[in-house]
Amino acid sequence: YWTVAGLIELNRNAMPAAAEAFEQAIAAGQVEPLVQLYLAQAYFSQEQWVRTVETIERAGGALADITAAWSMRAHALWMQGRRQDAMGVLTEAARRFPANSTFTRRQIFYLIESGLYQEASRIALAFTARADVGADDYAAIGGALRRAKSYDQSLGILESARLRFPANDNIAKSLAQTY
């Protein structure tokens, strides 16, 4: 009953009620790992970062193959100010899921947010060497570096993007803004 009630509340976007229902389901003996993920999602949506991390960690290895759990955990850690832990989660997630570029992309933006532009540039250059990275990725990274006033790093990323995507208007605009 509590699991179904939680799913209904989750679907209605009533996150406090969903969290309460999932907690009741777990207390009643529900052991399905996805219930832990749903509970973490309900806490995450309410910006209850500590509870999000606790829920994911309580599930243990049961959520290890679910990329959403890694993303939520990293962001919740970041929002708690546990930046090194968040970066460690993203590094491990990128290693475990090499085809998923969102973890490396998030690392780059977190590094830029932290003012670690050289490290962000180093990772961004390796990241942009991937075949699945598109012009929008280059533009986003270059733009973030520009907004952080890291102009040389921004130009390096955007110039390589211009070589790779010579007809892309967004790259040209980002490059013009940076210059």
Side-chain angles (χ1 to χ4, degrees):
Y1 166 78
W2 289 112
T3 302
V4 172
L7 289 170
I8 290 168
E9 297 300 337
L10 195 65
N11 194 42
R12 289 183 38 217
N13 208 25
M15 296 306 174
E20 177 61 31
F22 290 131
E23 288 285 6
Q24 290 288 342
I26 292 165
Q30 175 61 266
V31 295
E32 175 62 37
L34 282 179
V35 173
Q36 296 283 349
L37 183 66
Y38 295 144
L39 177 58
Q41 182 182 350
Y43 286 140
F44 185 87
S45 295
Q46 297 176 74
E47 299 182 0
Q48 293 186 23
W49 310 124
V50 173
R51 284 185 155 176
T52 300
V53 172
E54 288 172 352
T55 302
I56 292 169
E57 289 177 353
R58 182 173 58 207
L63 300 179
D65 293 331
I66 300 175
T67 58
W70 289 87
S71 292
M72 281 193 294
R73 184 172 178 225
H75 188 71
L77 288 166
W78 187 263
M79 296 306 291
Q80 290 178 58
R82 296 173 57 189
R83 295 176 185 234
Q84 189 64 38
D85 293 336
M87 293 301 281
V89 168
L90 291 172
T91 299
E92 178 62 18
R95 187 191 65 73
R96 290 178 69 95
F97 308 102
N100 188 333
S101 62
T102 59
F103 300 113
T104 304
R105 187 179 299 117
R106 184 169 291 172
Q107 273 186 314
I108 294 165
F109 287 109
Y110 283 171
L111 288 167
I112 292 169
E113 183 180 320
S114 297
L116 300 171
Y117 308 121
Q118 294 298 326
E119 183 65 9
S121 294
R122 186 187 67 73
I123 292 174
L125 286 173
F127 174 69
T128 55
R130 294 174 53 138
D132 63 338
V133 174
D136 290 342
D137 292 317
Y138 279 94
I141 293 167
L145 286 166
R146 181 189 72 248
R147 285 187 299 282
K149 297 185 179 11
S150 186
Y151 300 114
D152 290 339
Q153 288 81 7
S154 177
L155 288 172
I157 296 290
L158 293 170
E159 287 288 355
S160 72
R162 188 71 172 158
L163 290 172
R164 190 167 174 192
F165 305 100
N168 187 287
D169 289 339
N170 287 335
I171 298 295
K173 289 175 189 174
S174 290
L175 202 49
Q177 287 176 326
T178 304
Y179 277 118

